[in-house]
Amino acid sequence: SFPTRRSSDLAVARINVDQHGLQERITLQVSDGLAFVPGPWDLIICNPPYVNSQSMAQLPAEYRAEPALALAGGADGMDFIRRLLQDAPACMTEHAVLVLEIGNERDFFEAAFPQLPVFWLDTSAGATRFCWSRAAPCNALSETHPFGAPCAP
C-alpha cells in the first residue's frame, strides 16, 4: 500500500507502479498517515516529513520547490514520526518491521525516542539517514509497546 495525503502524489506513484508492472502488488491510497491503511502489515516503509523548523528556514531553493507538507516535521522534525510510532503498533503484525528515513535528524530522533530500540542502516548516504525497528509484542516485562504506545490489558 502507498498511502499519501495528496492525490497528486498518487499520479506520480501510479506512473512508477505501471512502469514496473506492480499493479497486482501495490495499492495506492490517499491517507493521513496510517488512518486509512489499518493493516495488519509485516513491513512499513516511511519517508515522513522530518525536517526541523530551523532547517526548513535554511533549505536551498530546490528543496523549497517541494510542498512544505512533504518536508516540515515541526520544531524538532519529529511531529509526524511521533504520531506514526503511536499508530503503527495497531497496524503491524507481531514480527513486523518499520523502516524510517529521517535524513539528517538522527540527533533529534534519538532525543525524542531515547528508549526505542532501533538499528541504523548503512547506505551510500551514510549510517544516519535510515533506521528500522521491530514491532515486538507487549509482554509482562513492559507496560508499553516498543514504539511507546500503551499495551492493551
Side-chain angles (χ1 to χ4, degrees), residues 14-132:
R14 172 59 53 207
I15 292 168
N16 290 324
V17 168
D18 292 346
Q19 283 181 346
H20 296 283
L22 298 171
Q23 299 87 341
E24 299 298 317
R25 299 181 67 190
I26 296 178
T27 302
L28 303 176
Q29 185 167 341
V30 175
S31 182
D32 186 5
L34 297 171
F36 299 109
V37 288
W41 304 105
D42 294 319
L43 174 66
I44 296 175
I45 301 172
C46 185
N47 181 4
Y50 55 73
V51 180
N52 69 65
S53 297
Q54 182 178 1
S55 294
M56 280 296 294
Q58 299 170 357
L59 286 177
E62 64 268 20
Y63 288 97
R64 288 194 305 270
E66 296 293 327
L69 177 67
L71 301 173
D76 65 354
M78 299 296 117
D79 288 358
F80 182 91
I81 295 171
R82 280 186 188 88
R83 194 176 86 210
L84 177 69
L85 295 181
Q86 179 180 352
D87 295 346
C91 300
M92 298 174 78
T93 62
E94 181 177 338
H95 298 291
V97 172
L98 172 68
V99 179
L100 289 173
E101 178 179 353
I102 56 134
N104 297 317
E105 307 295 351
R106 181 174 180 167
D107 291 343
F108 285 112
F109 182 88
E110 289 178 337
F113 312 105
Q115 303 302 318
L116 180 64
V118 298
F119 302 91
W120 295 96
L121 305 174
D122 286 325
T123 69
S124 60
T128 62
R129 299 184 60 85
F130 294 88
C131 65
W132 70 273

